[in-house]
Amino acid sequence: MTIALIVAAGLGERLGGTRPKALVELGGQPMVQWSIDALASMEEIERIVLALPPGVQAPPGVIGVEGGAVRSSSVQRALAAAGDGETVLVHDAARPLLTAKLARAVILALAHDGQAAAAIAAAPVTDTIKRVDAGAVVETLERRSLWAVQTPQVFRRAALERALDVPAEVLAQATDDAWLIERAGGKVVVVAVEQENLKVTTPLDLEIAARLLRRRSAEPS
């Protein structure tokens, strides 16, 4: 069985709201609820833990903890409250179009590779990427080997605990938890995602997510 951690402690300044990003309304409910619903529908998920801003209560049926100052600190706190479970799924509340199909694919990818410490959702980069320094292009990167990392990310618990057991300044550098696994020498495998697994960062993202959710609800089951 897998325990699921949802990182929902961000304030979302770029979204321009007056409430934490995870609580911004999307499709008639708080944004974080979409991720909760997707994970709660899965037999593979034993329990769900939310890392939330101070003073925010978790909805019924999930465990709530106060998040940390940085992302991986929130993961660390949520994991400590999660109870038993050998496999850990970490997901960002800012990706509300999560599906059980995608989460299951990432869980299975880790299960099928006995050497891997983690499996992550990611998308091949389609734009041309240039490295820039002081406003000038330094080099153009070969995009065939570049992937944009997303969540969910699934970990063997022991490997994640070891990777998180680092000084606070290292945790502060981690923009995703798989980087901590890579830093420790662990193998990370990639699962290609559908385009709809977008991250809500700006008001435009929120509008697009709302439209995609309306389209999804209109599709025949």
Side-chain angles (χ1 to χ4, degrees):
M1 299 296 287
T2 299
I3 52 177
L5 315 180
I6 301 178
V7 182
L11 298 179
E13 292 90 347
R14 283 177 289 179
L15 199 55
T18 59
R19 63 180 70 180
K21 181 194 288 190
L23 302 184
V24 170
E25 183 174 314
L26 174 61
Q29 62 183 4
M31 187 189 306
V32 67
Q33 191 64 46
W34 293 100
S35 297
I36 294 171
D37 292 346
L39 294 170
S41 71
M42 299 173 59
E43 294 181 355
E44 298 92 335
I45 301 298
E46 187 169 358
R47 68 186 67 90
I48 300 171
V49 183
L50 299 186
L52 294 160
V56 176
Q57 299 296 313
V62 300
I63 301 167
V65 299
E66 184 175 315
V70 297
R71 177 205 164 75
S72 289
S73 178
S74 293
V75 172
Q76 200 172 41
R77 293 184 180 192
L79 183 58
D84 295 336
E86 294 183 0
T87 305
V88 182
L89 180 148
V90 180
H91 184 63
D92 291 339
R95 294 190 185 274
L97 279 88
L98 173 68
T99 63
K101 178 182 177 182
L102 173 57
R104 185 170 293 115
V106 183
I107 292 171
L108 290 175
L110 180 62
H112 289 163
D113 191 324
Q115 301 302 312
I120 62 174
V125 169
T126 56
D127 293 330
T128 296
I129 304 297
K130 296 181 183 291
R131 190 165 64 86
V132 176
D133 185 28
V137 172
V138 176
E139 66 174 320
T140 299
L141 303 178
E142 175 51 68
R143 70 184 180 189
R144 285 182 296 180
S145 62
L146 298 178
W147 289 66
V149 174
Q150 303 182 7
T151 63
Q153 300 184 353
V154 181
F155 304 87
R156 300 196 193 281
R157 182 178 187 143
L160 180 58
E161 288 178 334
R162 287 193 299 268
L164 289 167
D165 187 19
V166 293
E169 58 268 25
V170 177
L171 287 182
Q173 297 176 48
T175 55
D176 82 310
D177 306 293
W179 176 78
L180 295 169
I181 297 289
E182 298 161 35
R183 180 179 179 275
K187 179 181 179 182
V188 179
V189 296
V190 169
V191 177
V193 302
E194 299 175 355
Q195 292 181 339
E196 287 191 1
N197 191 43
L198 62 82
K199 183 177 182 180
V200 173
T201 303
T202 67
L204 177 60
D205 299 329
L206 189 67
E207 181 180 342
I208 293 171
R211 290 183 179 183
L212 290 172
L213 287 168
R214 286 196 297 270
R215 187 181 73 181
R216 183 183 292 178
S217 66
E219 292 174 350
S221 57

